[in-house]
Amino acid sequence: MAKKLVVAIDGPAGAGKSTVAQLAAKRLGYTYIDTGAMYRAVAWKTLQQKQPVTDELILSVVPDIVVDLQYADGQTTVLVDGTDVSQAIRTPEVSHIVSQVAKLGPVREKMVELQRQMAARGGVLMDGRDIATHVLPNADVKIFLTASVEERARRRWQEMQAKGYTMTLEELQHDIAARDKADSEREISPLRQAEDAVLLDTTGLSIDEVVDRILAMCGEK
Ligand code: DC
């Protein structure tokens, strides 16, 4: 049997990481680990406090929060303190504050430790912003997935429309550009392509084409 690889996929918001990573994981028989969901989980719990969002408030929820990702049948369930928040972490309110949450050292330390534990057994495909550069620098395959900001905003807009949100394309483009900036310019583990990562620009590519290229990089046909 082929060696069970550790695959790291990084890239900006809306590049299609989770969609293609989930499909690739399914075809490889690997576990998919969505690290963005973990930062969203901390953001969700912060909002539950019903207080103005400050760094202090965010840090106050970190010591006790239990974040768990369960992956079965190609689907990820995100649990916070035992509650299923898989849908609740995808709201615009959570998206709006998640970069503020993700820039704080104690948040990242706790999440990165969990992520490394999850990857320890191999046979995983993990996506995020700092997976190849920081979380799993020894990953077997490193991919930096991106697309133009216009295309990324359009994809997110279609996703939000399908969920019944009425945001405009301009609002989403603005939101994505702001998150790109915050995620790339933060002090700790900013979003950047690892030197040994392969760049995969998905602008104009179909989901299947992207998945096929990822499988090829993992030595599959
Ligand atoms: O992939 P996503 O949009 O669900 O990620 C949510 C936020 O979490 C994103 O704005 C950046 C942050 N993030 C991070 O800092 N490091 C990761 N490994 C994954 C996500």
Side-chain angles (χ1 to χ4, degrees):
M1 204 170 80
K3 180 182 172 236
K4 290 239 169 204
L5 303 175
V6 171
V7 184
I9 303 185
D10 292 299
K17 296 186 300 295
S18 57
T19 305
V20 296
Q22 258 178 105
L23 290 168
K26 203 167 176 184
R27 292 213 356 222
L28 289 163
Y30 284 11
T31 299
Y32 165 62
I33 302 167
D34 176 356
T35 64
M38 299 168 78
Y39 295 98
R40 287 173 177 273
V42 179
W44 176 83
K45 185 157 180 182
T46 304
L47 291 175
Q48 292 301 106
Q49 310 308 305
K50 312 267 183 240
Q51 290 173 44
V53 176
T54 59
D55 290 356
E56 289 68 32
L57 184 71
I58 298 165
L59 293 175
S60 75
V61 309
V62 175
D64 296 331
I65 192 171
V66 179
V67 178
D68 192 19
L69 294 190
Q70 292 178 356
Y71 181 77
D73 302 328
Q75 279 247 316
T76 303
T77 304
V78 185
L79 300 167
V80 171
D81 305 330
T83 301
D84 183 348
V85 296
S86 312
Q87 302 297 323
I89 60 168
R90 304 285 166 199
T91 61
E93 290 75 22
V94 168
S95 297
H96 195 66
I97 68 155
V98 68
S99 287
Q100 185 184 353
V101 170
K103 77 176 194 316
L104 299 175
V107 175
R108 303 202 71 82
E109 280 159 31
K110 183 159 177 166
M111 296 305 130
V112 168
E113 193 184 323
L114 265 171
Q115 290 156 13
R116 287 184 178 147
Q117 284 168 14
M118 290 172 174
R121 277 174 294 130
V124 297
L125 212 148
M126 186 178 284
D127 79 8
R129 304 291 190 284
D130 61 338
I131 309 309
T133 53
H134 178 65
V135 182
L136 306 172
N138 297 321
D140 301 296
V141 179
K142 297 181 176 182
I143 301 165
F144 193 82
L145 204 71
T146 190
S148 68
V149 71
E150 292 79 14
E151 172 126 355
R152 290 188 282 125
R154 201 176 45 74
R155 289 177 188 166
R156 272 286 151 94
W157 182 73
Q158 281 170 347
E159 230 175 80
M160 296 310 255
Q161 290 268 306
K163 286 187 191 167
Y165 289 107
T166 53
M167 304 169 81
T168 66
L169 189 58
E170 287 69 33
E171 278 171 330
L172 269 175
Q173 195 161 322
H174 182 80
D175 190 61
I176 285 186
R179 277 214 283 152
D180 282 357
K181 187 167 155 60
D183 295 340
S184 313
E185 292 181 359
R186 71 169 175 237
E187 217 164 296
I188 312 169
S189 307
L191 166 69
R192 64 177 176 80
Q193 183 180 345
E195 273 171 23
D196 50 353
V198 176
L199 178 69
L200 182 46
D201 187 335
T202 68
T203 311
L205 292 182
S206 72
I207 291 171
D208 284 344
E209 283 169 329
V210 179
V211 173
D212 284 344
R213 289 195 195 189
I214 293 173
L215 292 182
M217 288 178 208
C218 296
E220 302 275 322
K221 280 194 211 86

